[in-house]
Amino acid sequence: MENTELREALQSLKSTKVRMTPQRHAILEFLFDCEQHPTADEIYKALEDKFPNMSVATVYNNLRVFKDAGLVRELTYGDSSSRFDSNTSDHYHVICDDCGKIVDFHYPGLDEVETLAKHIAGFNVRDHRMEVYGTCPDCQKKLAN
Amino acid sequence: MENTELREALQSLKSTKVRMTPQRHAILEFLFDCEQHPTADEIYKALEDKFPNMSVATVYNNLRVFKDAGLVRELTYGDSSSRFDSNTSDHYHVICDDCGKIVDFHYPGLDEVETLAKHIAGFNVRDHRMEVYGTCPDCQKKLAN
DNA sequence: TTCTTATATAATAATGGTTATAAACAGTAT
DNA sequence: ATACTGTTTATAACCATTATTATATAAGAA
């Protein structure tokens, strides 16, 4: 039930001074429904049937609101635009160099790395990010031809 | 002697069809000398005394050349511009959320993560990246006031 | 050295993601 | 109803990066 997570997200927004609007609801819903990690523009395009007048700025603004509220993570890559991930639980990404596909995978216990970083660099550690890069199965087949 | 690494880099470029130009030499030298991870613009500005006519495009073009040759890594973050790291040996970064400072730190053996990703997602794994986020000692002091 | 040619540079324009601005609008409290 | 605060829309601006093109130059051949 992904709706549970969505409900929790809506609930946690209510506790702040953030107002719930139809646009916000739709953006959040889309983020929690889709299993991918869409870009702001993909979200914008996906909702243009429902909200023909919605501005791109609204998408960006609200993604920032959600990010600040800790409901959404922003993933940034070199060339293209940011992607947004509604799954803020501990997980990592495997990314295809060729087609850009992103696959989630779970791995326990990189807390040790955080601890080490804290000791070595004296940082007050908040979070970490890890990504593995390579070629996805589909692209491996394509390249084999 | 960081010059050793620079010499190796120059040598490895010579083995390809990449020509050595004064601009390229200067950019490489700057990258290997400076202990930071400069942006393209910082490199551009740092070299404008030596090369008053150098174009920004030249910096970007050559950073890409070096990246393709495996001499330099591009680090991308959310808000600002890419940073470039001449140290391609296995190391990770601790980044301050507040001031953006980047500190290198070494940590062994995340090969296991690569292996797992390979098995779980069926990827042909090439590389990985990890970063720890938090507040640096200086900013901790500042915030304590 | 000089010639040749593929490659590099510089200057500039274009691209594209993201953000700022200002006016119109909506929800809530007084 | 009125005032207030926050939101959306539309549009313009911003800024990092890339494309374009004419000119210059590195590196090997003659």
Side-chain angles (χ1 to χ4, degrees), chain A residues 19 40 56-57 60 64 81-82:
Chain A
R19 291 180 187 165
V56 210
Y60 279 102
R64 180 160 38 178
S81 32
S82 288

Side-chain angles (χ1 to χ4, degrees), chain A residues 27-78:
Chain A
I27 294 170
L28 261 189
E29 194 173 32
F30 180 77
L31 265 169
F32 279 90
D33 274 1
C34 93
E35 296 296 312
Q36 261 59 50
H37 308 85
T39 64
D41 197 62
E42 282 166 2
I43 297 172
Y44 175 64
K45 289 208 165 59
L47 298 180
E48 72 180 353
D49 282 344
K50 258 186 175 173
F51 298 87
N53 295 323
M54 185 166 63
S55 174
V56 210
T58 299
V59 177
Y60 279 102
N61 285 340
N62 289 330
L63 285 171
R64 180 160 38 178
V65 169
F66 301 151
K67 219 175 60 174
D68 290 348
L71 298 174
V72 159
R73 274 201 195 150
E74 184 175 3
L75 313 170
T76 65
Y77 304 106

